[in-house]
Each structure stands twice: as C-alpha cells, then as structure tokens.
Amino acid sequence: MKQTIHPTGRETFFDRDTFIVSKTDLKGRITYANKVFCEMAGYSERELMGQPHSIIRHPDMPRAVFKFLWDTIGEGREVFAYVKNMSRTGDHYWVFAHVTPSFDAQRRIVGYHSSRRVPKRSAIEALSPVYADLVRIENAHRNGKEGLAASYAHLVATVTSLKPSYDEFVFSL
C-alpha cells in the first residue's frame, strides 16, 4: 500500500466528543482501528489492517518525538503526546494521544493501544515551533541516525528546561 502522499496544508477536525482509537502489534502494525480513525485517515478498516501505524505520519512530526514515545511504551509505561497526523488525501489533523502498552497474563507487552482526542489549540501553537526546530535539526545532519540523536537530545533539553518532567510539560500545555 506504499504510496507517496504530499501534505496539502489543509487541516481537518474531528468531533470533540469522539475518540480515535487504534491498536498495534509489537512492531507497530495496525491490528484494530475504530470508525473515527478510518474516517480521519481516509482508509477503510481493511486497508489499514497490518499496515504500519506510520501510514498516517505527517512529515512535520519529528522522529525524536516518536523515539521518545516508543522508548516509553517499550518500557511498559504510558505516554501522552501531541501528534500531527496526515490523511490519505494529504490533509492533516492534530491529536492528543494517550498510548499504553497491552500486557498478557504474564505481564509481557503484547501490543499497544492508543486513544486520541481533540487537542487544545494553545498546545498546538506552543508545540509547532518546537516540532519545527526538531525537524530542522534532524534534516541538518548527513544521516538519519545522527539527526535523530541530535534532535532527541534537543527535545530532552527543551523539555527539562521548561518543566521537571515530560508529563508535567505535556500537561502544562
């Protein structure tokens, strides 16, 4: 299903009373997507099953944010994050995501669950320049690995300079 999608610059919105919900396996492949997810992403449920969750990744999203997210849930902890996603049409939509690991009876991580709600506009306005800086840092390096390392270090330094913890930072927005 790999296709090239280009951002349109148009923002779409979903109802404040609804949630976008998805589940993935350990490799981030979609195993469940609710109706709102399908509608916002512009894909049918059948098209989404088995696809990498990154199918909706917007190029304005820094890889460092996803590294932080994956590191956190991989350690068995929940994480909250503001994310800019891109639909099949190239339109974008912002979410406030709550991502948690799913455990089996032996407390082994078997997948991940994400519930996303409408974000605060003030948080998007505050984070957009931070995210743009992180993407700029990532793109300024000769390879992706170096760019990600530099961007991640900048993300950690930025967050810790503003609040004592990442969670306090996110919830203060």
Side-chain angles (χ1 to χ4, degrees):
M1 179 182 291
K2 187 66 176 167
Q3 55 186 341
T4 302
I5 300 171
H6 301 284
T8 64
R10 287 187 305 264
E11 184 170 6
T12 59
F13 302 90
F14 58 103
D15 187 357
R16 185 166 298 285
D17 296 328
T18 62
F19 288 87
I20 296 174
V21 179
S22 60
K23 294 180 183 180
T24 68
D25 63 14
L26 293 173
K27 296 203 183 270
R29 291 181 298 245
I30 299 169
T31 60
Y32 170 79
N34 74 345
K35 182 179 177 186
V36 182
F37 182 100
C38 295
E39 290 169 356
M40 292 304 295
Y43 295 97
S44 71
E45 182 180 16
R46 173 181 275 158
E47 290 173 308
L48 288 170
M49 292 304 104
Q51 294 299 317
H53 208 282
S54 61
I55 193 171
I56 59 168
R57 184 183 179 275
H58 194 285
D60 288 351
M61 277 302 298
R63 292 173 42 228
V65 171
F66 292 114
K67 175 182 174 14
F68 179 81
L69 185 146
W70 280 102
D71 287 354
T72 302
I73 60 177
E75 293 170 355
R77 297 182 293 127
E78 69 183 352
V79 69
F80 292 86
Y82 288 91
V83 179
K84 184 178 186 180
N85 290 322
M86 186 167 63
S87 74
R88 177 183 227 162
T89 65
D91 295 349
H92 68 273
Y93 57 99
W94 282 92
V95 300
F96 183 54
H98 177 215
V99 187
T100 61
S102 300
F103 299 96
D104 66 10
Q106 287 75 42
R107 298 288 300 158
R108 291 179 299 221
I109 299 172
V110 295
Y112 304 101
H113 178 272
S114 180
S115 297
R116 282 132 10 238
R117 66 184 72 180
V118 173
K120 293 189 272 183
R121 292 311 298 182
S122 59
I124 294 168
E125 291 166 8
L127 283 174
S128 290
V130 174
Y131 284 5
D133 284 343
L134 294 171
V135 169
R136 201 170 14 264
I137 291 167
E138 289 172 3
N139 293 335
H141 288 78
R142 66 180 147 198
N143 67 53
K145 187 175 181 179
E146 289 176 7
L148 176 57
S151 178
Y152 187 77
H154 186 73
L155 173 64
V156 170
T158 299
V159 169
T160 55
S161 73
L162 299 172
K163 293 288 178 184
S165 75
Y166 173 83
D167 287 342
E168 287 178 284
F169 169 72
V170 168
F171 287 113
S172 73
L173 295 173

